[in-house]
C-alpha cells in the first residue's frame, strides 16, 4: 500500500467523503433562519445528518478515541444560502451534535440577541424555536460538561436547541446527564445506587465540589467512560482479527487482484489507522496475512519491505 493510499483513506475517514462510502447519512433535522450580510438578509438552511457507520468502522472510531484521543465526526452539516442561487452548499463535519448546534445558533445571531429558528425534524414536523445569548452560553457550558462527565467519542448525544441528552457508553445504562438550555440546568437521572441530582450549568464546577450527589454522578460517569475505553481497545482488536480471518476465507484461494486487492487495501488502511504501519497489537498470523495482501510475494522488493516493517524498521521505499 502506498503512503498516498493510506493518507487518502485517513482523510476520507475524517471527513466522511470519498468513494468508499464509509458512513451512511440519516437526516436528524433541518434548520432555517435569516442572517444579516451587510445590507442584505440571507435565508439559510442547515441540514444536520447523523453519520451511521458499519459496525466495524464504528468500533474503529471508538478505538481511535480510546487509544489516541482522535475524535471522529459524529454528524455532517450541509449549509445553503437559499436566496443566492449561485452560492454552492457548504459542508462541515463537527465533532459532535452539540458542536453543530452551537455553530448554527451562533451563525443565526444568538450571541447578539434573540434568534428565530425554524426546525424541521427528520419526519417533516416543523416547530419555531427561539434562542439567544443565555441559551447559547448554556450550550457552551454543556459542551464543557460533556468533556468532564463523558467522552464525545464514546457517548452518543441526542437532542436539539432546547436540550441534549448525553447517553452512557453502555446503552443499557441510564443517561449520564441532560442539559436544558432554556433553563440553564444540568440534570443527572437516577442510576444504580444514585439518586437524581441537578445543578446550574453556570455553577457546575461549584456543584461538583460542594454537592456530594453531583460529585457521585461525576464518579459514576468517569468510571463508565474508563471502562468504555478499555472495552473499545479490546473490542476492535477482536473485530480486526475476525475481519482478517473472514476476508482470507472469502478469498477461497482466488488471486488478490483487481477489486479484491482494492477491498484488501481498504481493510489494511483501517487496520493501520488503529495499529500503525507495523500493525503491532495484532496477532502474528493476522499481521502476516495483512502484509501479504499489501506487499505481495515475499520474494520481491515489496515483500522485503513487509519484512522490515515486521521488524520495526522503515520500508526501503520510504528511505
Amino acid at each position: 500500500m502506498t503512503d498516498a493510499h493510506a493518507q487518502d483513506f485517513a482523510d476520507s475517514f475524517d471527513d466522511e467523503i470519498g468513494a468508499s462510502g464509509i458512513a451512511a447519512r440519516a437526516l436528524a433535522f433541518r434548520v432555517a433562519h435569516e442572517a444579516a450580510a451587510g445590507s442584505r438578509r440571507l435565508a439559510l438552511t442547515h441540514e444536520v445528518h447523523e453519520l451511521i457507520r458499519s459496525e466495524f468502522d464504528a468500533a474503529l472510531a471508538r478505538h481511535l478515541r480510546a487509544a489516541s484521543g482522535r475524535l471522529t465526526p459524529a454528524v455532517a452539516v450541509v449549509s445553503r444560502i437559499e436566496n443566492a442561487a449561485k452560492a454552492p452548499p457548504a459542508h462541515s463535519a463537527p465533532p459532535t451534535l452539540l458542536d453543530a448546534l452551537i455553530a448554527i445558533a451562533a451563525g443565526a445571531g444568538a450571541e447578539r440577541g434573540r434568534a428565530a429558528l425554524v426546525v424541521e425534524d427528520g419526519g417533516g414536523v416543523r416547530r419555531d424555536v427561539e434562542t439567544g445569548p443565555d441559551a447559547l452560553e448554556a450550550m457552551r457550558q454543556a459542551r464543557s460538561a460533556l468533556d468532564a462527565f463523558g467522552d464525545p467519542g464514546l457517548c452518543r448525544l441526542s437532542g436539539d436547541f432546547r436540550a441534549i441528552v448525553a447517553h452512557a457508553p453502555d446503552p443499557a445504562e441510564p443517561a449520564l446527564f441532560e442539559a436544558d438550555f432554556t433553563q440553564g440546568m444540568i440534570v443527572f437521572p437516577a442510576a444504580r445506587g444514585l439518586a437524581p441530582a441537578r445543578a446550574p450549568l453556570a455553577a457546575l464546577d461549584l456543584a461538583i465540589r460542594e454537592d456530594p450527589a453531583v460529585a457521585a454522578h461525576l464518579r459514576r460517569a468517569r468510571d463508565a467512560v474508563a471502562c468504555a475505553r478499555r472495552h473499545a481497545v479490546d473490542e476492535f482488536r477482536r473485530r480486526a482479527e475476525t475481519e482478517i480471518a473472514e476476508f482470507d476465507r472469502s478469498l477461497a484461494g482466488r488471486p488478490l487482484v483487481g477489486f479484491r486487492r482494492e477491498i484488501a487495501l481498504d481493510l489494511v488502511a483501517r487496520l493501520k489507522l488503529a495499529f500503525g504501519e507495523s500493525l503491532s497489537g495484532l496477532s502474528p498470523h493476522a499481521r502476516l496475512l495483512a502484509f501479504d495482501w499489501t506487499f505481495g510475494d515475499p520474494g520481491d522488493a515489496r515483500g522485503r519491505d513487509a519484512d522490515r516493517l515486521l521488524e520495526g524498521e522503515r520500508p526501503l521505499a520510504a528511505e
Side-chain angles (χ1 to χ4, degrees):
M1 175 182 294
T2 66
D3 290 342
H5 188 114
Q7 186 59 51
D8 285 348
F9 183 87
D11 291 342
S12 70
F13 196 87
D14 273 340
D15 11 71
E16 307 299 340
I17 58 177
S20 55
I22 296 164
R25 298 187 179 200
L27 179 64
F29 53 84
R30 182 181 291 104
V31 185
H33 65 86
E34 291 188 347
S39 60
R40 297 183 60 199
R41 296 292 294 177
L42 300 179
L44 291 94
T45 61
H46 310 277
E47 291 182 353
V48 180
H49 299 262
E50 182 182 2
L51 296 174
I52 303 174
R53 299 181 178 86
S54 68
E55 290 185 2
F56 185 82
D57 282 341
L60 171 56
R62 291 190 294 270
H63 173 94
L64 292 173
R65 180 61 176 174
S68 65
R70 181 173 177 173
L71 184 56
T72 307
V75 296
V77 181
V78 181
S79 302
R80 296 181 176 86
I81 303 174
E82 298 296 343
N83 55 350
K86 295 184 178 180
H91 299 264
S92 60
T96 72
L97 171 64
L98 185 50
D99 290 293
L101 296 174
I102 291 169
I104 293 171
E111 282 178 305
R112 299 183 297 275
R114 305 302 296 177
L117 310 174
V118 179
V119 181
E120 179 182 336
D121 65 23
V125 178
R126 292 190 177 193
R127 64 184 184 279
D128 295 328
V129 176
E130 275 198 353
T131 187
D134 292 344
L136 181 58
E137 183 60 23
M139 291 181 198
R140 289 172 172 154
Q141 291 162 350
R143 185 64 177 85
S144 298
L146 179 60
D147 289 332
F149 281 79
D151 186 311
L154 299 172
C155 303
R156 187 177 69 85
L157 298 182
S158 61
D160 55 24
F161 293 94
R162 296 171 297 186
I164 61 105
V165 176
H167 298 272
D170 182 349
E173 291 292 318
L176 298 181
F177 66 81
E178 177 179 347
D180 185 325
F181 307 137
T182 60
Q183 300 296 321
M185 298 294 293
I186 185 168
V187 179
F188 305 97
R192 195 176 307 170
L194 297 178
R198 57 192 288 121
L201 278 164
L204 182 56
D205 288 344
L206 180 65
I208 291 171
R209 291 195 300 271
E210 297 189 356
D211 187 334
V214 174
H217 279 279
L218 176 61
R219 289 192 297 273
R220 175 227 169 192
R222 289 184 171 174
D223 182 61
V225 169
C227 291
R229 286 176 179 148
R230 291 192 295 271
H231 177 72
V233 173
D234 293 338
E235 176 198 23
F236 185 70
R237 184 178 292 114
R238 288 193 299 270
R239 283 186 178 272
E241 298 273 350
T242 300
E243 195 79 10
I244 291 169
E246 289 183 352
F247 185 82
D248 189 59
R249 280 195 298 271
S250 73
L251 288 173
R254 291 172 293 183
L256 194 65
V257 295
F259 67 87
R260 285 187 287 272
R261 179 169 174 78
E262 286 302 312
I263 294 170
L265 292 180
D266 275 348
L267 173 56
V268 174
R270 285 165 165 80
L271 299 175
K272 287 187 175 182
L273 279 178
F275 302 113
E277 287 292 318
S278 66
L279 301 181
S280 58
L282 291 176
S283 65
H285 71 270
R287 295 172 73 198
L288 286 170
L289 282 172
F291 282 127
D292 188 44
W293 300 337
T294 304
F295 297 104
D297 186 341
D300 65 16
R302 291 176 302 174
R304 290 196 296 275
D305 276 352
D307 293 340
R308 292 169 67 85
L309 277 170
L310 285 168
E311 294 167 4
E313 302 177 29
R314 288 170 58 81
L316 294 169
E319 295 179 349

